[in-house]
Amino acid sequence: MSLLSDPKAAVDDLSRPEAWVLGVSVAFALFLLGALLTGALGPTYFLFLVGLAGMYALLSFGLNAQWGFTGLINFSVAAFFGIGAYGSALMTADSSPIAGGFNPLVGLAVALVVAFVLALLIGIPTLRLRADYLAIASLGLAEVVRLIVLNERWLTNGSAGVRGIPSFFEGWPVFSTLPETMPGLRLVVIPGSPILLGTSFWRASLNVLLVLAFAGATFFVLRRAHRSPWGRVLRTIRSDEDLARALGKNTYSYKMQSFVLGSLIMALAGVFYTHLNLYVGPGDLDPITTFYAWVAVILGGSGSNRGALFGGIVIVTIREGTRFLNDVALPIDPAPLRLLLIGVVIVAVMRYRPQGILPPQRELIWPSAVDDRDPPDPPSSGVREQKGGGGDE
Amino acid sequence: MTVLGYLANGLVFSSIIVLGSIGLSLVYSIADFANFAHGDTMTVGAYSALVTFGAVGGLGGAVLGLPYGFFLALVAGIAVAAVVAVGTEKLVYEPLDVDSIGLLITSIGIAFIYRAVIQIRFGSDFTRFGIQPLRPIEALVPYGVRVTLHDVAIVGSAVVLVGGLHVLLQYTDLGRKMRAMADNPDLARVSGIRTKRVKLWTWVIGAGLAGAGGVFLGLFNQLSPRMGFNLLLVIFAAVILGGIGSVYGAMAGGFLIGMINQLTPFFSNVVEALPIWPGWLAALLESLISIEYANAIAFVIMVAVLLVRPNGIAGEGAT
């Protein structure tokens, strides 16, 4: 089933939506490649977009670990994202009102610890609640976090936000100076419009490398966790919490574990965002971030990690595509257009494909269980015939 | 400002919250999901009134400092909000084949669509109804109460609307059907109540009241595409405090949350005056109980109520 060993069989093996997604993705990639080669899309900006897509994919992974695995309606994604971003920004930035100037790795550790504590603070009261109450309560608590970040100037610099954030690789042996030491490249694909790859390009490549590392590690951890006995308990809770309890599982504890795991991943996305954007403000905690992550997850297919990845890419396309559209064709303010598209996507998915585009199917089965190179021969005759019956057909 | 002044402000703000929370609670109990588009329904009402008022103008005379045209605009706001909500129910919610959580998520999409359309048409800036702001009523200023005739109009209209709803629920056929349906939809249907039709009327009433609340909110503060969404969680807090599904609970909850919201500066004065020991606790309370956290206090109350008394202060749902 590997794409490399037997591409034709692998393609034949895809379900229809999978084939569609693959086709559209390939077309989209070719389109981007064309834009890159003709110089319509700057390579540095493209890498920034890749980083952003990775970040949304991380956020969606985090939400997927909560909603997709366990069925927790968490509307406080933005709070964890923001706490991750602020945690690392306040630790590393020059203009930080409290500490500042630490190594970004310290920032990462602090952000994760703070997110862990916040996850417990939000989770302990709310995870006992009914599903729809959990949604409202978590949205409310996320707003409380946003208001605190906005108003406690001594801690967060208030509405001015935090600037002067170093890159994630600051202070690392080789990576910190890599962008400066790499030679500037000059590619001429189309005569007359050369593509220059300078320091900023290499810096952006490092960021992409970082998000690939974060997202890749998260993806494999989540995939492994989802198939494990632990993941099976979570799936049981999602489909029937009373059943899980009847089987002797402490569902509250499992829900808390899944909530904390997801929250840490969201905080990781925030940490990456800090070092990608190099500025963090209270606007980053706006509830819209929460709903971006939600759209990514329900569009991709709740419970499916590759669906979350796909959803993350769609979100960035909507976000940046509206901006591009505004520059090129339609003079509509991109902000409401984006909101409209997000709303339409939510309604359309719920109306026509509530399970999402790539719902988890084979993802949940151990590969060794399906990936049988030598499938057992089907019996040459039916059971009924062997018993000598079958007269009723 | 004196306590009386804060209470008067609280009364005005409460009227708006009550109008919003009744509709949210009705829809929660009869359509059976948390409607996140309710706040944006208020925005729809407010902007419809803005357009109507701009079109018809003052129409001569004025009541309580508000031109006749404004009341026409209020009716238009209520009507448009109701029509939009019924259209959404028919086009979107009714054909859906999902559970109440799916409806909740869909309603977020609907909220975004409403807000986006308004923002595309009117921009994201603040606007006002073209009505001269009034000076506070002179006779009340010595008591520290600074309310305008407009505020009196808001409270008066809210009382009329809420009173009308009470009569409708208690003394009409539709009201009895609605109460029956909120109590047990299956039983109501078996008894021959046309539940679909009752549901549509619920949307009309709930969204209409929300539209009125939006118009008054625009008069009280100003209009912006985010005005409803920003108020949504406060309204949820009111509904949960009153007990989901209970209309009278929603009224009580809306009243309390509105009061608490506007009394926050008074509470912070009280905290400053009280000799709280130890000092760090006093400092903490002083920094947390301040006008910036007025909404946050409502949200924390909401979570606390959910934990301690999920049925709200009114107890078991008695619509």
Side-chain angles (χ1 to χ4, degrees):
Chain A
M1 221 169 86
S2 163
L3 200 65
L4 294 174
S5 60
D6 191 359
K8 185 160 183 337
V11 170
D12 285 344
D13 206 37
L14 294 177
S15 64
R16 264 186 74 145
E18 283 174 334
W20 267 101
V21 168
L22 186 69
V24 171
S25 310
V26 168
F28 189 59
L30 286 177
F31 168 73
L32 286 179
L33 189 70
L36 271 176
L37 290 181
T38 52
L41 184 65
T44 310
Y45 180 59
F46 172 71
L47 289 182
F48 175 78
L49 293 188
V50 173
L52 216 52
M55 185 203 89
Y56 277 110
L58 263 180
L59 269 186
S60 319
F61 286 156
L63 183 59
N64 202 24
Q66 298 174 339
W67 159 249
F69 291 12
T70 325
L72 304 174
I73 308 200
N74 177 15
F75 279 171
S76 53
V77 178
F80 290 104
F81 172 74
I83 283 296
Y86 263 95
S88 68
L90 290 175
M91 280 296 126
T92 57
D94 301 330
S95 71
S96 163
I98 44 170
F102 283 103
N103 188 297
L105 283 178
V106 177
L108 174 69
V110 169
L112 290 183
V113 168
V114 176
F116 180 76
V117 173
L118 183 70
L120 291 183
L121 280 179
I122 292 189
I124 287 173
T126 57
L127 288 184
R128 290 187 195 279
L129 297 175
R130 222 174 73 183
D132 49 346
Y133 293 178
L134 172 61
I136 301 165
S138 57
L139 187 58
L141 290 177
E143 276 294 283
V144 172
V145 171
R146 188 179 71 85
L147 287 172
I148 289 175
V149 167
L150 182 64
N151 290 312
E152 297 301 316
R153 277 182 204 88
W154 59 273
L155 179 65
T156 63
N157 230 4
S159 55
V162 184
R163 288 173 199 284
I165 299 165
S167 114
F168 187 77
F169 295 99
E170 185 102 344
W172 289 40
V174 182
F175 288 106
S176 62
T177 51
L178 191 71
E180 282 77 23
T181 47
M182 284 301 278
L185 291 183
R186 190 166 181 281
L187 299 179
V188 183
V189 182
I190 294 169
S193 63
I195 299 168
L196 299 171
L197 305 179
T199 311
S200 58
F201 172 78
W202 296 113
R203 192 167 291 139
S205 328
L206 277 183
N207 272 333
V208 168
L209 216 62
L210 178 67
V211 82
L212 284 182
F214 279 176
T218 310
F219 183 84
F220 286 110
V221 167
L222 284 185
R223 198 172 70 154
R224 181 68 182 78
H226 202 193
R227 283 175 182 163
S228 70
W230 183 77
R232 281 202 296 276
V233 176
L234 296 188
R235 265 144 57 201
T236 313
I237 294 174
R238 182 190 157 98
S239 46
D240 190 341
E241 190 176 345
D242 291 334
L243 175 65
R245 212 176 285 147
L247 291 172
K249 305 294 179 192
N250 181 353
T251 54
Y252 181 64
S253 158
Y254 276 97
K255 279 156 86 175
M256 182 61 85
Q257 291 163 19
S258 131
F259 188 74
V260 168
L261 175 68
S263 305
L264 289 180
I265 298 170
M266 292 166 193
L268 197 61
V271 171
F272 172 71
Y273 176 76
T274 300
H275 296 290
L276 176 75
N277 200 33
L278 304 184
Y279 165 74
V280 179
D284 294 324
L285 277 83
D286 192 279
I288 190 77
T289 310
T290 299
F291 297 118
Y292 278 144
W294 268 92
V295 172
V297 169
I298 61 169
L299 177 69
S302 306
S304 158
N305 287 319
R306 45 179 203 167
L309 184 65
F310 171 71
I313 294 170
V314 171
I315 288 298
V316 173
T317 312
I318 290 180
R319 252 191 67 154
E320 300 300 316
T322 46
R323 185 173 298 167
F324 173 75
L325 209 64
N326 180 46
D327 292 343
V328 178
L330 289 165
I332 295 182
D333 186 15
L337 191 62
R338 204 178 292 157
L339 207 59
L340 184 69
L341 279 175
I342 295 283
V344 169
V345 168
I346 294 179
V347 173
V349 168
M350 295 316 284
R351 173 84 174 82
Y352 296 106
R353 213 175 155 79
Q355 75 272 38
I357 290 180
L358 292 173
Q361 290 165 348
R362 276 166 299 190
E363 276 186 68
L364 300 180
I365 306 167
W366 279 104
S368 57
V370 277
D371 206 6
D372 214 335
R373 292 277 161 237
D374 186 22
D377 291 325
S380 52
S381 59
V383 176
R384 200 170 277 163
E385 288 154 36
Q386 279 178 354
K387 282 183 179 168
D392 57 333
E393 281 182 7
Chain B
M1 245 201 278
T2 60
V3 186
L4 270 180
Y6 289 120
L7 283 175
N9 280 355
L11 190 65
V12 180
F13 191 62
S14 291
S15 315
I16 297 168
I17 301 288
V18 165
L19 287 177
S21 59
I22 291 172
L24 190 62
S25 185
L26 269 180
V27 171
Y28 211 143
S29 62
I30 292 180
D32 196 29
F33 71 98
N35 180 17
F36 274 71
H38 196 73
D40 293 273
T41 309
M42 296 177 79
T43 319
V44 168
Y47 275 87
S48 315
L50 181 74
V51 172
T52 314
F53 188 58
V56 300
L59 296 182
V63 187
L64 291 171
L66 292 170
Y68 291 152
F70 182 79
F71 291 97
L72 194 66
L74 174 64
V75 173
I78 293 174
V80 172
V83 167
V84 166
V86 168
T88 312
E89 158 75 10
K90 277 278 171 207
L91 283 176
V92 180
Y93 297 132
E94 209 179 271
L96 279 184
D97 181 27
V98 291
D99 57 356
S100 67
I101 298 304
L103 285 171
L104 187 159
I105 295 172
T106 313
S107 73
I108 293 170
I110 296 292
F112 286 171
I113 292 175
Y114 289 173
R115 201 209 303 177
V117 169
I118 289 171
Q119 209 171 324
I120 287 173
R121 173 69 186 74
F122 297 94
S124 56
D125 293 333
F126 291 99
T127 41
R128 285 181 173 281
F129 292 113
I131 298 173
Q132 276 291 318
L134 295 180
R135 298 175 59 78
I137 300 170
E138 289 293 337
L140 294 175
V141 170
Y143 302 100
V145 177
R146 302 179 65 84
V147 294
T148 64
L149 276 175
H150 290 169
D151 296 337
V152 175
I154 291 174
V155 176
S157 314
V159 167
V160 169
L161 287 170
V162 170
L165 179 75
H166 169 74
V167 172
L168 180 106
L169 281 179
Q170 295 299 332
Y171 302 109
T172 67
D173 208 31
L174 176 66
R176 270 190 289 276
K177 285 176 184 166
M178 284 172 71
R179 284 186 289 147
M181 217 184 135
D183 207 39
N184 187 336
D186 294 330
L187 195 58
R189 209 166 149 181
V190 172
S191 332
I193 294 175
R194 294 196 175 110
T195 49
K196 258 189 187 169
R197 200 175 290 176
V198 175
K199 207 190 241 181
L200 279 186
W201 276 110
T202 307
W203 280 106
V204 168
I205 295 167
L209 290 176
V215 176
F216 293 139
L217 184 66
L219 185 66
F220 184 65
N221 286 328
Q222 64 247 79
L223 295 100
S224 80
R226 277 195 73 124
M227 60 193 270
F229 193 76
N230 288 343
L231 204 65
L232 176 69
L233 271 171
V234 180
I235 294 174
F236 262 121
V239 169
I240 287 168
L241 183 61
I244 286 172
S246 152
V247 168
Y248 297 102
M251 291 178 195
F255 182 75
L256 276 175
I257 289 287
M259 277 293 178
I260 291 169
N261 193 294
Q262 295 293 309
L263 282 173
T264 308
F266 168 70
F267 291 144
S268 82
N269 290 348
V270 171
V271 167
E272 259 173 54
L274 282 180
I276 295 176
W277 186 87
W280 61 266
L281 185 65
L284 183 73
L285 282 178
E286 269 175 41
S287 71
L288 288 186
I289 301 182
S290 63
I291 190 90
E292 289 91 359
Y293 289 119
N295 285 350
I297 292 171
F299 304 156
V300 172
I301 291 175
M302 169 176 86
V303 175
V305 171
L306 279 177
L307 284 174
V308 183
R309 261 187 94 86
N311 289 324
I313 47 173
E316 291 296 318
T319 308

